[in-house]
Amino acid sequence: MARGKGKIERKPAKQDLPSKVCPVCDRPFTWRKKWAKDWDQVRYCSEACRRKPDGGGRPS
């Protein structure tokens, strides 16, 4: 059984990925592959934060 001799592409290190801060929970979140096409439009870290009606941050 022959094995291919193609190069294995390495993923970028986690610290090298772009990140943003969620306006609802004020937590940082990093780029995900599923957001590759529309990273500029991504504003929230999760579906739960996107659904919050007040859009406010953490209470102080």
Side-chain angles (χ1 to χ4, degrees):
M1 186 176 220
R3 291 187 179 219
K5 293 186 179 181
K7 282 192 170 186
I8 297 173
E9 291 190 33
R10 298 192 68 111
K11 296 179 183 177
K14 182 114 178 167
Q15 66 267 18
D16 295 338
L17 295 174
S19 64
K20 294 182 180 183
V21 176
C22 178
V24 176
C25 65
D26 292 327
R27 293 180 183 170
F29 61 98
T30 55
W31 181 91
R32 294 183 190 171
K33 189 171 182 175
K34 70 178 186 177
W35 293 333
K37 293 179 184 175
D38 56 345
W39 175 245
D40 294 333
Q41 287 79 37
V42 174
R43 293 179 54 201
Y44 304 102
C45 65
S46 66
E47 196 67 26
C49 282
R50 188 181 70 80
R51 290 182 184 154
K52 290 228 179 187
D54 59 357
R58 237 186 254 167
S60 353

